[in-house]
Amino acid sequence: PLGAGIVDFVVLLLPKEGKPGKIVFVDIKNGPNAKLTKSQLALKKIVESKNIEFQVIRVETDAPSDG
């Protein structure tokens, strides 16, 4: 699970026909009293504050490259 079970799904909507892309964190709740966990509330706050980044980690290997 992504992020040790903090959310159930991550939806990636890539840019299309002039519309910007979007990443959506989805958690399924069951029942009228279901609430977000502390971790989910923390994630929600991070997303709402736009404190998000994209990182690339390159790993060197000795294996031959296909390209």
Side-chain angles (χ1 to χ4, degrees):
L2 177 73
I6 294 174
V7 295
D8 294 317
F9 300 97
V10 176
V11 179
L12 303 172
L13 301 170
L14 298 176
K16 185 176 180 183
E17 300 173 3
K19 295 181 182 178
K22 183 189 279 190
I23 298 172
V24 182
F25 295 95
V26 179
D27 191 69
I28 308 299
K29 296 293 186 201
N30 187 1
N33 297 322
K35 301 200 184 309
L36 295 175
T37 66
K38 287 181 182 180
S39 295
Q40 290 169 332
L41 289 169
L43 175 61
K44 184 176 187 271
K45 186 175 180 178
I46 291 168
V47 171
E48 289 172 344
S49 69
K50 300 179 183 176
N51 190 16
I52 300 170
E53 62 184 68
F54 183 91
Q55 291 187 357
V56 175
I57 299 173
R58 299 200 186 277
V59 178
E60 298 294 327
T61 66
D62 293 333
S65 174
D66 289 339

